[in-house]
Amino acid sequence: EVPYLWSIAGLGLTSGERVEYYMEITDNTGKTTRSEVRTLQYKSISEILKESEQISKELKSELESVSQDAYDLQKQLMDLKNKSQMNEELGLNDQQKKDLQQKVDNLQQNMDAMKNKIDQSINEMQESKMLSDKTLEQYMKMQELFNKINTPELKEMLEKLKEALKKNNEEQIRDAMKNFNFDEEAFKKNLE
């Protein structure tokens, strides 16, 4: 590694313009090698802030979507639990079990994707070092909020429900439904 600070201020770039560059190195014996051509795109601070704002809106929307998915799943499980208390049978046919399993899978995938997106956004902001500490702090709070939702307990509940549905074991399904809990009100309060 050869650390070098390259000032591009003298190029007079405006927002959106690109610069192509390459490295050419000659060793002591006179052999020369050249790197591949790379591109650098200049973005103004206002453009970076707009992108940050857009990402924030998308993340909030996705957080609300994940919250709604978890709430819908919990509501469906509560309905099934109430029906099963009225009679011995759970009353789930194969299609309903598949649908329920699909909802659990979707919720898990959405939560994983959301975690990755938040982590990626924070890493990009830290690397660019052009955003304020306040903005970065807000993203960190968003990550903390998401971690309050995406707890190991929730993951375990979802996994148990998924396994019970795969095994088609009504007693395990009943137990998993009884233990599934998602506090939508607390989530929405934190989201605000």
Side-chain angles (χ1 to χ4, degrees), residues 39-72:
T39 303
L40 177 71
Q41 181 178 5
Y42 175 74
K43 292 182 182 180
S44 66
I45 292 176
S46 64
E47 191 176 355
I48 291 172
L49 289 174
K50 282 180 187 176
E51 285 179 12
S52 171
E53 199 173 292
Q54 181 64 32
I55 290 170
S56 295
K57 286 178 184 177
E58 288 173 11
L59 287 173
K60 183 177 180 189
S61 173
E62 288 178 26
L63 277 171
E64 288 171 343
S65 175
V66 165
S67 167
Q68 188 61 45
D69 289 348
Y71 176 74
D72 291 345

PDB file of all heavy atoms in Angstrom, residues 39-72:
ATOM      1  N   THR A  39     -12.812   4.841 -12.291  1.00  0.00           N
ATOM      2  CA  THR A  39     -13.626   6.037 -12.433  1.00  0.00           C
ATOM      3  C   THR A  39     -13.957   6.606 -11.063  1.00  0.00           C
ATOM      4  O   THR A  39     -14.277   5.864 -10.144  1.00  0.00           O
ATOM      5  CB  THR A  39     -14.942   5.713 -13.173  1.00  0.00           C
ATOM      6  OG1 THR A  39     -14.619   5.128 -14.435  1.00  0.00           O
ATOM      7  CG2 THR A  39     -15.772   6.947 -13.408  1.00  0.00           C
ATOM      8  N   LEU A  40     -13.894   7.895 -10.973  1.00  0.00           N
ATOM      9  CA  LEU A  40     -14.251   8.605  -9.755  1.00  0.00           C
ATOM     10  C   LEU A  40     -15.349   9.586 -10.123  1.00  0.00           C
ATOM     11  O   LEU A  40     -15.179  10.382 -11.050  1.00  0.00           O
ATOM     12  CB  LEU A  40     -13.034   9.348  -9.204  1.00  0.00           C
ATOM     13  CG  LEU A  40     -13.243  10.202  -7.979  1.00  0.00           C
ATOM     14  CD1 LEU A  40     -13.487   9.324  -6.763  1.00  0.00           C
ATOM     15  CD2 LEU A  40     -12.030  11.086  -7.742  1.00  0.00           C
ATOM     16  N   GLN A  41     -16.494   9.503  -9.419  1.00  0.00           N
ATOM     17  CA  GLN A  41     -17.579  10.436  -9.695  1.00  0.00           C
ATOM     18  C   GLN A  41     -17.677  11.424  -8.543  1.00  0.00           C
ATOM     19  O   GLN A  41     -17.733  11.028  -7.380  1.00  0.00           O
ATOM     20  CB  GLN A  41     -18.918   9.702  -9.853  1.00  0.00           C
ATOM     21  CG  GLN A  41     -20.053  10.646 -10.167  1.00  0.00           C
ATOM     22  CD  GLN A  41     -21.374   9.934 -10.381  1.00  0.00           C
ATOM     23  OE1 GLN A  41     -21.481   8.731 -10.207  1.00  0.00           O
ATOM     24  NE2 GLN A  41     -22.389  10.676 -10.766  1.00  0.00           N
ATOM     25  N   TYR A  42     -17.688  12.684  -8.907  1.00  0.00           N
ATOM     26  CA  TYR A  42     -17.775  13.726  -7.895  1.00  0.00           C
ATOM     27  C   TYR A  42     -19.231  13.974  -7.538  1.00  0.00           C
ATOM     28  O   TYR A  42     -20.086  14.119  -8.412  1.00  0.00           O
ATOM     29  CB  TYR A  42     -17.137  15.015  -8.411  1.00  0.00           C
ATOM     30  CG  TYR A  42     -17.297  16.178  -7.464  1.00  0.00           C
ATOM     31  CD1 TYR A  42     -16.541  16.248  -6.299  1.00  0.00           C
ATOM     32  CD2 TYR A  42     -18.218  17.183  -7.722  1.00  0.00           C
ATOM     33  CE1 TYR A  42     -16.692  17.299  -5.415  1.00  0.00           C
ATOM     34  CE2 TYR A  42     -18.365  18.244  -6.847  1.00  0.00           C
ATOM     35  CZ  TYR A  42     -17.614  18.287  -5.698  1.00  0.00           C
ATOM     36  OH  TYR A  42     -17.767  19.332  -4.824  1.00  0.00           O
ATOM     37  N   LYS A  43     -19.505  14.022  -6.243  1.00  0.00           N
ATOM     38  CA  LYS A  43     -20.846  14.352  -5.767  1.00  0.00           C
ATOM     39  C   LYS A  43     -20.715  15.518  -4.794  1.00  0.00           C
ATOM     40  O   LYS A  43     -19.860  15.504  -3.917  1.00  0.00           O
ATOM     41  CB  LYS A  43     -21.475  13.167  -5.037  1.00  0.00           C
ATOM     42  CG  LYS A  43     -21.793  12.003  -5.921  1.00  0.00           C
ATOM     43  CD  LYS A  43     -22.457  10.899  -5.131  1.00  0.00           C
ATOM     44  CE  LYS A  43     -22.730   9.694  -6.016  1.00  0.00           C
ATOM     45  NZ  LYS A  43     -23.371   8.611  -5.271  1.00  0.00           N
ATOM     46  N   SER A  44     -21.596  16.480  -4.970  1.00  0.00           N
ATOM     47  CA  SER A  44     -21.573  17.625  -4.056  1.00  0.00           C
ATOM     48  C   SER A  44     -22.174  17.204  -2.716  1.00  0.00           C
ATOM     49  O   SER A  44     -22.878  16.196  -2.611  1.00  0.00           O
ATOM     50  CB  SER A  44     -22.373  18.786  -4.645  1.00  0.00           C
ATOM     51  OG  SER A  44     -23.751  18.437  -4.711  1.00  0.00           O
ATOM     52  N   ILE A  45     -21.900  18.006  -1.703  1.00  0.00           N
ATOM     53  CA  ILE A  45     -22.426  17.703  -0.376  1.00  0.00           C
ATOM     54  C   ILE A  45     -23.950  17.705  -0.395  1.00  0.00           C
ATOM     55  O   ILE A  45     -24.584  16.837   0.210  1.00  0.00           O
ATOM     56  CB  ILE A  45     -21.874  18.697   0.669  1.00  0.00           C
ATOM     57  CG1 ILE A  45     -20.369  18.462   0.845  1.00  0.00           C
ATOM     58  CG2 ILE A  45     -22.597  18.561   1.994  1.00  0.00           C
ATOM     59  CD1 ILE A  45     -19.690  19.430   1.762  1.00  0.00           C
ATOM     60  N   SER A  46     -24.547  18.636  -1.126  1.00  0.00           N
ATOM     61  CA  SER A  46     -26.016  18.684  -1.186  1.00  0.00           C
ATOM     62  C   SER A  46     -26.572  17.423  -1.841  1.00  0.00           C
ATOM     63  O   SER A  46     -27.615  16.903  -1.424  1.00  0.00           O
ATOM     64  CB  SER A  46     -26.494  19.932  -1.926  1.00  0.00           C
ATOM     65  OG  SER A  46     -26.076  19.910  -3.273  1.00  0.00           O
ATOM     66  N   GLU A  47     -25.888  16.903  -2.845  1.00  0.00           N
ATOM     67  CA  GLU A  47     -26.322  15.673  -3.509  1.00  0.00           C
ATOM     68  C   GLU A  47     -26.207  14.479  -2.552  1.00  0.00           C
ATOM     69  O   GLU A  47     -27.092  13.635  -2.488  1.00  0.00           O
ATOM     70  CB  GLU A  47     -25.477  15.430  -4.756  1.00  0.00           C
ATOM     71  CG  GLU A  47     -25.993  14.337  -5.654  1.00  0.00           C
ATOM     72  CD  GLU A  47     -25.175  14.204  -6.934  1.00  0.00           C
ATOM     73  OE1 GLU A  47     -24.271  15.015  -7.190  1.00  0.00           O
ATOM     74  OE2 GLU A  47     -25.476  13.260  -7.683  1.00  0.00           O
ATOM     75  N   ILE A  48     -25.129  14.441  -1.791  1.00  0.00           N
ATOM     76  CA  ILE A  48     -24.951  13.368  -0.817  1.00  0.00           C
ATOM     77  C   ILE A  48     -26.043  13.439   0.247  1.00  0.00           C
ATOM     78  O   ILE A  48     -26.609  12.423   0.651  1.00  0.00           O
ATOM     79  CB  ILE A  48     -23.547  13.433  -0.182  1.00  0.00           C
ATOM     80  CG1 ILE A  48     -22.499  13.068  -1.230  1.00  0.00           C
ATOM     81  CG2 ILE A  48     -23.434  12.512   1.018  1.00  0.00           C
ATOM     82  CD1 ILE A  48     -21.068  13.285  -0.790  1.00  0.00           C
ATOM     83  N   LEU A  49     -26.372  14.666   0.680  1.00  0.00           N
ATOM     84  CA  LEU A  49     -27.425  14.832   1.683  1.00  0.00           C
ATOM     85  C   LEU A  49     -28.781  14.402   1.140  1.00  0.00           C
ATOM     86  O   LEU A  49     -29.575  13.785   1.849  1.00  0.00           O
ATOM     87  CB  LEU A  49     -27.478  16.278   2.173  1.00  0.00           C
ATOM     88  CG  LEU A  49     -26.308  16.720   3.051  1.00  0.00           C
ATOM     89  CD1 LEU A  49     -26.392  18.211   3.353  1.00  0.00           C
ATOM     90  CD2 LEU A  49     -26.256  15.918   4.337  1.00  0.00           C
ATOM     91  N   LYS A  50     -29.055  14.719  -0.134  1.00  0.00           N
ATOM     92  CA  LYS A  50     -30.312  14.288  -0.745  1.00  0.00           C
ATOM     93  C   LYS A  50     -30.382  12.764  -0.804  1.00  0.00           C
ATOM     94  O   LYS A  50     -31.424  12.172  -0.533  1.00  0.00           O
ATOM     95  CB  LYS A  50     -30.451  14.863  -2.160  1.00  0.00           C
ATOM     96  CG  LYS A  50     -30.861  16.309  -2.200  1.00  0.00           C
ATOM     97  CD  LYS A  50     -30.978  16.798  -3.639  1.00  0.00           C
ATOM     98  CE  LYS A  50     -31.223  18.284  -3.683  1.00  0.00           C
ATOM     99  NZ  LYS A  50     -31.246  18.818  -5.053  1.00  0.00           N
ATOM    100  N   GLU A  51     -29.274  12.128  -1.193  1.00  0.00           N
ATOM    101  CA  GLU A  51     -29.241  10.667  -1.236  1.00  0.00           C
ATOM    102  C   GLU A  51     -29.458  10.086   0.160  1.00  0.00           C
ATOM    103  O   GLU A  51     -30.182   9.116   0.326  1.00  0.00           O
ATOM    104  CB  GLU A  51     -27.905  10.168  -1.794  1.00  0.00           C
ATOM    105  CG  GLU A  51     -27.760  10.322  -3.274  1.00  0.00           C
ATOM    106  CD  GLU A  51     -26.412   9.837  -3.783  1.00  0.00           C
ATOM    107  OE1 GLU A  51     -25.668   9.175  -3.035  1.00  0.00           O
ATOM    108  OE2 GLU A  51     -26.101  10.127  -4.951  1.00  0.00           O
ATOM    109  N   SER A  52     -28.836  10.697   1.144  1.00  0.00           N
ATOM    110  CA  SER A  52     -28.980  10.250   2.526  1.00  0.00           C
ATOM    111  C   SER A  52     -30.433  10.365   2.974  1.00  0.00           C
ATOM    112  O   SER A  52     -30.972   9.467   3.622  1.00  0.00           O
ATOM    113  CB  SER A  52     -28.083  11.078   3.437  1.00  0.00           C
ATOM    114  OG  SER A  52     -28.360  10.815   4.781  1.00  0.00           O
ATOM    115  N   GLU A  53     -31.067  11.475   2.616  1.00  0.00           N
ATOM    116  CA  GLU A  53     -32.471  11.683   2.961  1.00  0.00           C
ATOM    117  C   GLU A  53     -33.350  10.633   2.291  1.00  0.00           C
ATOM    118  O   GLU A  53     -34.263  10.084   2.909  1.00  0.00           O
ATOM    119  CB  GLU A  53     -32.882  13.092   2.521  1.00  0.00           C
ATOM    120  CG  GLU A  53     -34.115  13.616   3.197  1.00  0.00           C
ATOM    121  CD  GLU A  53     -34.342  15.073   2.821  1.00  0.00           C
ATOM    122  OE1 GLU A  53     -33.537  15.930   3.231  1.00  0.00           O
ATOM    123  OE2 GLU A  53     -35.336  15.335   2.116  1.00  0.00           O
ATOM    124  N   GLN A  54     -33.073  10.341   1.015  1.00  0.00           N
ATOM    125  CA  GLN A  54     -33.843   9.337   0.279  1.00  0.00           C
ATOM    126  C   GLN A  54     -33.679   7.959   0.921  1.00  0.00           C
ATOM    127  O   GLN A  54     -34.638   7.215   1.082  1.00  0.00           O
ATOM    128  CB  GLN A  54     -33.409   9.313  -1.191  1.00  0.00           C
ATOM    129  CG  GLN A  54     -34.162   8.314  -2.047  1.00  0.00           C
ATOM    130  CD  GLN A  54     -35.641   8.631  -2.146  1.00  0.00           C
ATOM    131  OE1 GLN A  54     -36.063   9.781  -2.110  1.00  0.00           O
ATOM    132  NE2 GLN A  54     -36.449   7.595  -2.270  1.00  0.00           N
ATOM    133  N   ILE A  55     -32.443   7.620   1.282  1.00  0.00           N
ATOM    134  CA  ILE A  55     -32.184   6.333   1.926  1.00  0.00           C
ATOM    135  C   ILE A  55     -32.931   6.256   3.251  1.00  0.00           C
ATOM    136  O   ILE A  55     -33.520   5.232   3.580  1.00  0.00           O
ATOM    137  CB  ILE A  55     -30.666   6.118   2.131  1.00  0.00           C
ATOM    138  CG1 ILE A  55     -29.988   5.903   0.780  1.00  0.00           C
ATOM    139  CG2 ILE A  55     -30.394   4.944   3.049  1.00  0.00           C
ATOM    140  CD1 ILE A  55     -28.468   5.914   0.829  1.00  0.00           C
ATOM    141  N   SER A  56     -32.941   7.369   3.998  1.00  0.00           N
ATOM    142  CA  SER A  56     -33.652   7.400   5.277  1.00  0.00           C
ATOM    143  C   SER A  56     -35.144   7.131   5.080  1.00  0.00           C
ATOM    144  O   SER A  56     -35.745   6.368   5.832  1.00  0.00           O
ATOM    145  CB  SER A  56     -33.478   8.755   5.963  1.00  0.00           C
ATOM    146  OG  SER A  56     -32.150   8.968   6.322  1.00  0.00           O
ATOM    147  N   LYS A  57     -35.722   7.760   4.068  1.00  0.00           N
ATOM    148  CA  LYS A  57     -37.152   7.552   3.794  1.00  0.00           C
ATOM    149  C   LYS A  57     -37.419   6.092   3.416  1.00  0.00           C
ATOM    150  O   LYS A  57     -38.402   5.495   3.859  1.00  0.00           O
ATOM    151  CB  LYS A  57     -37.623   8.475   2.669  1.00  0.00           C
ATOM    152  CG  LYS A  57     -37.757   9.922   3.098  1.00  0.00           C
ATOM    153  CD  LYS A  57     -38.178  10.793   1.932  1.00  0.00           C
ATOM    154  CE  LYS A  57     -38.221  12.253   2.343  1.00  0.00           C
ATOM    155  NZ  LYS A  57     -38.559  13.144   1.229  1.00  0.00           N
ATOM    156  N   GLU A  58     -36.544   5.527   2.574  1.00  0.00           N
ATOM    157  CA  GLU A  58     -36.710   4.134   2.164  1.00  0.00           C
ATOM    158  C   GLU A  58     -36.592   3.192   3.362  1.00  0.00           C
ATOM    159  O   GLU A  58     -37.382   2.259   3.508  1.00  0.00           O
ATOM    160  CB  GLU A  58     -35.663   3.757   1.110  1.00  0.00           C
ATOM    161  CG  GLU A  58     -35.894   4.376  -0.239  1.00  0.00           C
ATOM    162  CD  GLU A  58     -34.748   4.121  -1.210  1.00  0.00           C
ATOM    163  OE1 GLU A  58     -33.856   3.287  -0.912  1.00  0.00           O
ATOM    164  OE2 GLU A  58     -34.734   4.759  -2.275  1.00  0.00           O
ATOM    165  N   LEU A  59     -35.599   3.456   4.221  1.00  0.00           N
ATOM    166  CA  LEU A  59     -35.416   2.610   5.394  1.00  0.00           C
ATOM    167  C   LEU A  59     -36.612   2.694   6.324  1.00  0.00           C
ATOM    168  O   LEU A  59     -37.076   1.676   6.848  1.00  0.00           O
ATOM    169  CB  LEU A  59     -34.142   3.001   6.141  1.00  0.00           C
ATOM    170  CG  LEU A  59     -32.827   2.611   5.484  1.00  0.00           C
ATOM    171  CD1 LEU A  59     -31.652   3.203   6.254  1.00  0.00           C
ATOM    172  CD2 LEU A  59     -32.680   1.108   5.382  1.00  0.00           C
ATOM    173  N   LYS A  60     -37.137   3.894   6.519  1.00  0.00           N
ATOM    174  CA  LYS A  60     -38.309   4.050   7.390  1.00  0.00           C
ATOM    175  C   LYS A  60     -39.498   3.298   6.803  1.00  0.00           C
ATOM    176  O   LYS A  60     -40.214   2.588   7.517  1.00  0.00           O
ATOM    177  CB  LYS A  60     -38.649   5.521   7.574  1.00  0.00           C
ATOM    178  CG  LYS A  60     -39.805   5.728   8.534  1.00  0.00           C
ATOM    179  CD  LYS A  60     -40.104   7.172   8.779  1.00  0.00           C
ATOM    180  CE  LYS A  60     -41.274   7.266   9.747  1.00  0.00           C
ATOM    181  NZ  LYS A  60     -41.785   8.595   9.903  1.00  0.00           N
ATOM    182  N   SER A  61     -39.690   3.432   5.508  1.00  0.00           N
ATOM    183  CA  SER A  61     -40.791   2.734   4.844  1.00  0.00           C
ATOM    184  C   SER A  61     -40.638   1.221   4.983  1.00  0.00           C
ATOM    185  O   SER A  61     -41.607   0.504   5.263  1.00  0.00           O
ATOM    186  CB  SER A  61     -40.830   3.137   3.373  1.00  0.00           C
ATOM    187  OG  SER A  61     -41.769   2.367   2.672  1.00  0.00           O
ATOM    188  N   GLU A  62     -39.411   0.730   4.792  1.00  0.00           N
ATOM    189  CA  GLU A  62     -39.172  -0.711   4.915  1.00  0.00           C
ATOM    190  C   GLU A  62     -39.334  -1.185   6.355  1.00  0.00           C
ATOM    191  O   GLU A  62     -39.838  -2.277   6.591  1.00  0.00           O
ATOM    192  CB  GLU A  62     -37.784  -1.050   4.380  1.00  0.00           C
ATOM    193  CG  GLU A  62     -37.705  -0.947   2.871  1.00  0.00           C
ATOM    194  CD  GLU A  62     -36.326  -1.240   2.321  1.00  0.00           C
ATOM    195  OE1 GLU A  62     -35.559  -1.971   2.960  1.00  0.00           O
ATOM    196  OE2 GLU A  62     -36.019  -0.739   1.219  1.00  0.00           O
ATOM    197  N   LEU A  63     -38.918  -0.356   7.316  1.00  0.00           N
ATOM    198  CA  LEU A  63     -39.129  -0.707   8.722  1.00  0.00           C
ATOM    199  C   LEU A  63     -40.621  -0.826   9.031  1.00  0.00           C
ATOM    200  O   LEU A  63     -41.057  -1.746   9.717  1.00  0.00           O
ATOM    201  CB  LEU A  63     -38.493   0.336   9.640  1.00  0.00           C
ATOM    202  CG  LEU A  63     -37.015   0.198   9.928  1.00  0.00           C
ATOM    203  CD1 LEU A  63     -36.495   1.427  10.667  1.00  0.00           C
ATOM    204  CD2 LEU A  63     -36.728  -1.048  10.740  1.00  0.00           C
ATOM    205  N   GLU A  64     -41.399   0.122   8.505  1.00  0.00           N
ATOM    206  CA  GLU A  64     -42.848   0.073   8.720  1.00  0.00           C
ATOM    207  C   GLU A  64     -43.443  -1.173   8.058  1.00  0.00           C
ATOM    208  O   GLU A  64     -44.340  -1.808   8.606  1.00  0.00           O
ATOM    209  CB  GLU A  64     -43.507   1.340   8.186  1.00  0.00           C
ATOM    210  CG  GLU A  64     -43.211   2.556   9.039  1.00  0.00           C
ATOM    211  CD  GLU A  64     -43.680   3.865   8.422  1.00  0.00           C
ATOM    212  OE1 GLU A  64     -43.954   3.899   7.198  1.00  0.00           O
ATOM    213  OE2 GLU A  64     -43.762   4.856   9.167  1.00  0.00           O
ATOM    214  N   SER A  65     -42.943  -1.519   6.896  1.00  0.00           N
ATOM    215  CA  SER A  65     -43.420  -2.707   6.191  1.00  0.00           C
ATOM    216  C   SER A  65     -43.115  -3.981   6.989  1.00  0.00           C
ATOM    217  O   SER A  65     -43.965  -4.870   7.116  1.00  0.00           O
ATOM    218  CB  SER A  65     -42.784  -2.780   4.806  1.00  0.00           C
ATOM    219  OG  SER A  65     -43.138  -3.967   4.151  1.00  0.00           O
ATOM    220  N   VAL A  66     -41.892  -4.061   7.517  1.00  0.00           N
ATOM    221  CA  VAL A  66     -41.508  -5.217   8.330  1.00  0.00           C
ATOM    222  C   VAL A  66     -42.393  -5.287   9.568  1.00  0.00           C
ATOM    223  O   VAL A  66     -42.858  -6.361   9.962  1.00  0.00           O
ATOM    224  CB  VAL A  66     -40.010  -5.150   8.715  1.00  0.00           C
ATOM    225  CG1 VAL A  66     -39.675  -6.117   9.824  1.00  0.00           C
ATOM    226  CG2 VAL A  66     -39.145  -5.432   7.499  1.00  0.00           C
ATOM    227  N   SER A  67     -42.656  -4.133  10.162  1.00  0.00           N
ATOM    228  CA  SER A  67     -43.524  -4.074  11.340  1.00  0.00           C
ATOM    229  C   SER A  67     -44.923  -4.580  10.999  1.00  0.00           C
ATOM    230  O   SER A  67     -45.514  -5.366  11.747  1.00  0.00           O
ATOM    231  CB  SER A  67     -43.604  -2.634  11.852  1.00  0.00           C
ATOM    232  OG  SER A  67     -44.634  -2.493  12.785  1.00  0.00           O
ATOM    233  N   GLN A  68     -45.435  -4.139   9.855  1.00  0.00           N
ATOM    234  CA  GLN A  68     -46.773  -4.564   9.441  1.00  0.00           C
ATOM    235  C   GLN A  68     -46.802  -6.065   9.162  1.00  0.00           C
ATOM    236  O   GLN A  68     -47.767  -6.750   9.537  1.00  0.00           O
ATOM    237  CB  GLN A  68     -47.232  -3.780   8.202  1.00  0.00           C
ATOM    238  CG  GLN A  68     -48.668  -4.018   7.817  1.00  0.00           C
ATOM    239  CD  GLN A  68     -49.645  -3.600   8.902  1.00  0.00           C
ATOM    240  OE1 GLN A  68     -49.525  -2.532   9.484  1.00  0.00           O
ATOM    241  NE2 GLN A  68     -50.620  -4.453   9.186  1.00  0.00           N
ATOM    242  N   ASP A  69     -45.766  -6.597   8.525  1.00  0.00           N
ATOM    243  CA  ASP A  69     -45.691  -8.035   8.259  1.00  0.00           C
ATOM    244  C   ASP A  69     -45.711  -8.827   9.562  1.00  0.00           C
ATOM    245  O   ASP A  69     -46.421  -9.830   9.683  1.00  0.00           O
ATOM    246  CB  ASP A  69     -44.420  -8.385   7.477  1.00  0.00           C
ATOM    247  CG  ASP A  69     -44.445  -7.902   6.042  1.00  0.00           C
ATOM    248  OD1 ASP A  69     -45.527  -7.488   5.566  1.00  0.00           O
ATOM    249  OD2 ASP A  69     -43.380  -7.926   5.397  1.00  0.00           O
ATOM    250  N   ALA A  70     -44.925  -8.368  10.544  1.00  0.00           N
ATOM    251  CA  ALA A  70     -44.880  -9.058  11.837  1.00  0.00           C
ATOM    252  C   ALA A  70     -46.224  -8.970  12.538  1.00  0.00           C
ATOM    253  O   ALA A  70     -46.702  -9.949  13.123  1.00  0.00           O
ATOM    254  CB  ALA A  70     -43.779  -8.474  12.713  1.00  0.00           C
ATOM    255  N   TYR A  71     -46.853  -7.807  12.457  1.00  0.00           N
ATOM    256  CA  TYR A  71     -48.167  -7.634  13.081  1.00  0.00           C
ATOM    257  C   TYR A  71     -49.206  -8.534  12.412  1.00  0.00           C
ATOM    258  O   TYR A  71     -50.019  -9.171  13.096  1.00  0.00           O
ATOM    259  CB  TYR A  71     -48.593  -6.164  13.004  1.00  0.00           C
ATOM    260  CG  TYR A  71     -49.982  -5.925  13.536  1.00  0.00           C
ATOM    261  CD1 TYR A  71     -50.224  -5.966  14.912  1.00  0.00           C
ATOM    262  CD2 TYR A  71     -51.042  -5.677  12.686  1.00  0.00           C
ATOM    263  CE1 TYR A  71     -51.497  -5.757  15.407  1.00  0.00           C
ATOM    264  CE2 TYR A  71     -52.313  -5.468  13.167  1.00  0.00           C
ATOM    265  CZ  TYR A  71     -52.546  -5.515  14.529  1.00  0.00           C
ATOM    266  OH  TYR A  71     -53.805  -5.323  15.008  1.00  0.00           O
ATOM    267  N   ASP A  72     -49.209  -8.576  11.079  1.00  0.00           N
ATOM    268  CA  ASP A  72     -50.160  -9.428  10.354  1.00  0.00           C
ATOM    269  C   ASP A  72     -49.973 -10.897  10.714  1.00  0.00           C
ATOM    270  O   ASP A  72     -50.951 -11.629  10.903  1.00  0.00           O
ATOM    271  CB  ASP A  72     -50.008  -9.248   8.838  1.00  0.00           C
ATOM    272  CG  ASP A  72     -50.474  -7.884   8.356  1.00  0.00           C
ATOM    273  OD1 ASP A  72     -51.172  -7.186   9.124  1.00  0.00           O
ATOM    274  OD2 ASP A  72     -50.125  -7.506   7.218  1.00  0.00           O
TER     275      ASP A  72
END
